[in-house]
Amino acid sequence: MTQLRIYHFYFILVVACAVNSAYGQIVADTLRLDKIGFKSLFANDTFNPNQPYLSQLSPKAVPFVQEYIRKQGKELTKMKEWGRPYFALYDQILTQYGIPKEMKYLSVIESHLRSGLVSWAGAVGPWQLMDYEAKRFGLKLSPIDERTDYTKSTQVAAKLMKELYEQFGDWLLVVAAYNGGAGRVRQAIRKSGSRDFWDLQYFLKEETRTHVKKFIGTHYLFEGSGGLTTMTKQEATDFKANAATKMVQLLTDQELETTTTTTINGRYNSRIVIKFLDMDLGQFTKWNPDFDKKLSVGENYQLRLAKDKLPVFEARKKEILAESIRMLLEGH
């Protein structure tokens, strides 16, 4: 490695470490926001992760979701692969603005991620922004229409969604307002006397209520087993508590007595952690399921280690993170 490449690597490493700390706080703020989430979409009081997601949906949602999957499933399944770079960008920007990452599926139903799409009403870009909204948030429409820019348009969409959420406190109603306008959603709330989408939907235009159901169907297709943002605040709390309890139940009394946990975030890699701590792969995986997956999307993680290994990790965590990032940059 030349001296220039060495300097370049360490510059990236320093920046990554600095960003990591700030990003962890952003993620924490997002998770607090996600606890409110969507109004319940499920038939029962709580979501059971051990049962099929579709069978638990509100009966009002199931017929549409089934038909939507039949018509759009093949195309959207392909999008899971080719759309990854766009979704990665969306995740990063939405998180910065405190928006649940699942709201990226709004861009899917708005434009199928097409930057050059122009609607009959004049909305443009992957987020289908109207000219007056674009101007309000500082986008330029000429000589190049910045609504077609994925980064800039996502930033504006995030600001707009944040405004709408502050009004309605429900992400399903944000989807409705994004499509049909906040005024029409407020009117539907007044006429129905409810803030529940299933109660007020028929006071919205058919296009708008269909838009919300497309969002639900797309969310189901991409998330598979659902997500925290489709649960009420209590459902999300119960789900997290149940998941943590199940993990503890898998451990023996001896494991519980001899291990401890610490909260981490950043692009740590399990193989690097195992190497530095001289741990068994099977043991590490049992104690730390989905380690790489959750850290790769910016989530905090409760790392479980043997009590005698924790001081070693704390003393060498910067080295472990540095080597993990270097491994990532080298494409492994």
Side-chain angles (χ1 to χ4, degrees):
M1 184 180 287
T2 65
Q3 188 175 28
L4 180 60
R5 289 182 65 193
I6 292 173
Y7 287 152
H8 180 65
F9 166 73
Y10 280 106
F11 172 76
I12 293 174
L13 183 59
V14 169
V15 172
C17 290
V19 169
N20 176 59
S21 176
Y23 185 67
Q25 184 60 48
I26 291 170
V27 170
D29 293 342
T30 302
L31 290 176
R32 283 195 290 272
L33 184 60
D34 279 353
K35 288 181 180 179
I36 299 173
F38 287 66
K39 298 299 181 184
S40 179
L41 301 181
F42 303 106
N44 298 319
D45 292 336
T46 57
F47 171 69
N48 185 344
N50 296 318
Q51 295 180 4
Y53 177 86
L54 190 62
S55 68
Q56 299 182 74
L57 277 178
S58 165
K60 299 174 183 177
V62 170
F64 184 91
V65 170
Q66 288 177 324
E67 181 65 11
Y68 187 70
I69 291 171
R70 186 183 69 80
K71 291 182 177 179
Q72 302 291 332
K74 186 175 181 180
E75 181 179 354
L76 293 178
T77 299
K78 292 179 180 178
M79 189 185 292
K80 285 184 179 182
E81 291 299 320
W82 67 256
R84 282 184 179 182
Y86 304 102
F87 292 140
L89 175 67
Y90 288 170
D91 285 350
Q92 179 184 1
I93 295 174
L94 295 180
T95 299
Q96 290 172 356
Y97 286 91
I99 307 296
K101 293 177 182 178
E102 288 90 337
M103 291 303 291
K104 62 178 170 280
Y105 304 131
L106 182 54
S107 177
V108 173
I109 62 173
E110 287 285 346
S111 70
H112 276 226
L113 308 184
R114 290 178 288 175
S115 64
L117 184 66
V118 180
S119 76
W120 64 268
V124 173
W127 291 92
Q128 289 292 278
L129 296 168
M130 296 298 292
D131 54 0
Y132 56 87
E133 293 288 19
K135 291 177 181 177
R136 183 163 72 91
F137 288 105
L139 290 189
K140 298 176 182 177
L141 303 185
S142 63
I144 297 175
D145 193 333
E146 292 184 333
R147 290 177 291 176
T148 64
D149 183 289
Y150 283 97
T151 299
K152 293 180 180 179
S153 65
T154 305
Q155 290 169 339
V156 169
K159 292 175 184 178
L160 181 55
M161 287 188 282
K162 195 175 185 73
E163 278 189 359
L164 293 172
Y165 185 80
E166 288 171 356
Q167 290 186 52
F168 301 114
D170 179 350
W171 293 107
L172 284 185
L173 297 188
V174 168
V175 175
Y178 195 99
N179 174 262
R184 288 193 175 94
V185 173
R186 287 194 295 268
Q187 186 180 59
I189 291 172
R190 287 196 301 270
K191 288 182 176 180
S192 66
S194 173
R195 285 179 169 266
D196 187 297
F197 170 74
W198 302 110
D199 293 335
L200 62 78
Q201 63 169 317
Y202 292 108
F203 293 94
L204 298 170
K205 287 185 175 182
E206 181 180 2
E207 176 191 344
T208 298
R209 60 177 181 264
T210 299
H211 210 65
V212 175
K213 293 174 185 178
K214 284 181 179 180
F215 176 86
I216 295 169
T218 302
H219 181 283
Y220 168 74
L221 267 168
F222 278 85
E223 296 295 318
S225 60
L228 290 179
T229 53
T230 57
M231 301 181 194
T232 62
K233 180 179 180 180
Q234 187 58 52
E235 286 171 346
T237 301
D238 292 344
F239 178 82
K240 289 179 178 179
N242 290 338
T245 300
K246 286 179 180 180
M247 176 58 206
V248 170
Q249 289 174 346
L250 292 174
L251 303 179
T252 65
D253 291 340
Q254 182 180 6
E255 286 175 316
L256 289 173
E257 184 178 345
T258 59
T259 63
T260 187
T261 61
T262 183
T263 302
I264 64 170
N265 58 65
R267 293 305 300 269
Y268 289 95
N269 182 280
S270 59
R271 285 181 286 175
I272 303 301
V273 176
I274 290 168
K275 183 183 78 171
F276 271 77
L277 301 185
D278 191 24
M279 290 183 65
D280 175 73
L281 173 61
Q283 189 71 81
F284 183 88
T285 303
K286 178 186 177 183
W287 290 349
N288 300 283
D290 295 327
F291 179 86
D292 294 305
K293 179 180 178 181
K294 291 184 177 180
L295 288 177
S296 71
V297 297
E299 293 186 20
N300 286 355
Y301 193 91
Q302 290 293 315
L303 173 65
R304 181 175 291 276
L305 296 171
K307 289 180 178 178
D308 62 341
K309 297 290 186 182
L310 182 60
V312 181
F313 175 79
E314 293 294 346
R316 307 192 68 182
K317 63 191 301 183
K318 290 183 179 179
E319 294 177 69
I320 296 172
L321 180 59
E323 187 161 334
S324 296
I325 293 174
R326 182 170 63 188
M327 184 178 182
L328 176 67
L329 292 173
E330 291 175 352
H332 298 300

